[in-house]
């Protein structure tokens, strides 16, 4: 059976002055999830938005909110993000001293829990928490900015993670974020990624529906080749 690949447009590359319209536009264009990049200027060298912006977008769409927290010590804010409307909460392994506790807290809040790994972070950072996770986010760029080039080692990292998940008989999903578009979607999907985050490859295009379709088609071709 072929796995369903989900496309998650990242609003980092959207027009922030027209965010609600942008969100509605990607929903109409066929997005599966909405990826929201929260940055604190400490964990990453950039600042974006926090819970109030997420809460004000919530009434505009039925899309699942996939919140990527690029912040130090995220435990301080989990409850607030949950209250603001986050459905999935993803923390960085590098930003959590007690990662297992953080994941447990996300689950207690009734949200799906994910852990993100920077390009240089080994898979062993999530090995012992894998059974507690809903997804692992493999960063294929250094977090902080949209429009960067895909780091090719991410593909092998996804492949090894997929083996680790299969070996343990788990249902953890693999998400990939950074430099994803029609040119890179195929290789990451062949390696085992099921959730593709894309910012500039969608919001940087005139026609969001055809941009999403192009990524979906590249993913589908890769799946046919594998099966
Ligand atoms: C980067 C963010 C990404 C970003 C991806 O730190 O986590 O979600 O929006 O942008 P693209 O798809 O343009 O590489
Ligand atoms: Zn992201």
């Amino acid at each position: 059976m072929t796995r369903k690949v989900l496309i998650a447009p990242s609003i980092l590359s959207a027009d922030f002055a027209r965010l609600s319209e942008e969100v509605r536009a990607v929903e109409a264009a066929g997005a599966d999830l909405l990826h929201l990049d929260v940055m604190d200027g400490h964990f990453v060298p950039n600042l974006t938005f926090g819970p109030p912006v997420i809460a004000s977008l919530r009434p505009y769409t039925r899309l699942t909110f996939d919140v990527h927290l690029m912040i130090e010590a995220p435990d301080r804010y989990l409850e607030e993000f949950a209250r603001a409307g986050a459905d999935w909460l993803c923390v960085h392994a590098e930003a959590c001293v007690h990662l297992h506790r953080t994941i447990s807290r996300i689950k207690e809040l009734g949200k799906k829990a994910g852990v993100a790994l920077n390009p240089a972070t080994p898979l062993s950072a999530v090995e012992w928490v894998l059974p507690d996770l809903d997804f692992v986010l493999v960063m294929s760029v250094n977090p902080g900015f949209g429009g960067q080039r895909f780091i090719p080692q991410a593909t092998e990292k996804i492949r090894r993670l997929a083996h680790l998940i299969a070996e343990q008989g788990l249902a953890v999903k693999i998400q990939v974020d950074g430099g994803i578009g029609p040119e890179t979607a195929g290789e990451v999907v062949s390696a085992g990624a099921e959730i593709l985050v894309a910012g500039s490859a969608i919001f940087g295009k005139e026609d969001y529906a055809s941009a999403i379709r192009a990524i979906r088609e590249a993913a589908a071709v890769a799946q046919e080749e594998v099966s």
Side-chain angles (χ1 to χ4, degrees):
M1 201 181 74
T2 48
R3 299 161 291 132
K4 168 139 174 67
V5 172
L6 303 178
I7 312 287
S10 157
I11 61 165
L12 188 61
S13 295
D15 179 351
F16 275 29
R18 299 171 37 251
L19 262 189
S20 59
E21 289 167 46
E22 293 274 68
V23 167
R24 282 186 155 162
V26 280
E27 181 171 21
D32 297 302
L33 305 166
L34 192 71
H35 185 82
L36 298 126
D37 288 301
V38 176
M39 304 188 188
D40 67 353
H42 291 275
F43 181 69
V44 288
N46 197 4
L47 288 156
T48 53
F49 49 80
V53 170
I54 294 175
S56 44
L57 283 175
R58 192 58 284 185
Y60 288 89
T61 174
R62 301 170 71 97
L63 288 173
T64 294
F65 277 9
D66 163 31
V67 178
H68 179 189
L69 298 175
M70 285 161 276
I71 64 177
E72 298 281 5
D75 307 54
R76 297 172 292 166
Y77 297 106
L78 293 176
E79 208 175 315
E80 241 185 287
F81 280 108
R83 223 180 307 124
D87 300 294
W88 297 10
L89 279 167
C90 181
V91 295
H92 267 263
E94 307 83 3
C96 299
V97 179
H98 303 289
L99 185 58
H100 183 269
R101 178 180 290 150
T102 306
I103 295 163
S104 307
R105 186 71 195 120
I106 295 173
K107 302 299 267 294
E108 276 167 20
L109 290 165
K111 306 302 170 189
K112 285 210 191 300
V115 171
L117 301 174
N118 281 338
T121 303
L123 289 175
S124 57
V126 285
E127 192 176 349
W128 295 99
V129 290
L130 265 189
D132 304 305
L133 291 179
D134 294 295
F135 64 102
V136 174
L137 167 50
V138 174
M139 288 305 301
S140 40
V141 298
N142 289 297
F145 303 93
Q148 302 180 79
R149 195 193 284 267
F150 178 83
I151 297 173
Q153 296 94 304
T155 303
E156 182 57 24
K157 197 174 189 179
I158 291 167
R159 195 171 291 123
R160 291 193 197 180
L161 175 60
H163 277 296
L164 211 60
I165 292 168
E167 247 171 38
Q168 296 189 34
L170 300 170
V172 182
K173 305 267 185 234
I174 303 177
Q175 183 177 46
V176 58
D177 183 4
I180 299 297
E183 322 71 33
T184 46
E187 65 175 274
V188 295
V189 166
S190 307
E194 289 179 74
I195 308 156
L196 309 182
V197 176
S200 50
I202 296 172
F203 285 105
K205 298 283 188 294
E206 284 289 308
D207 179 348
Y208 298 165
S210 73
I212 291 174
R213 208 175 312 121
I215 299 172
R216 235 187 252 296
E217 277 165 14
V221 168
Q223 283 188 309
E224 274 163 31
E225 282 165 6
V226 171
S227 61

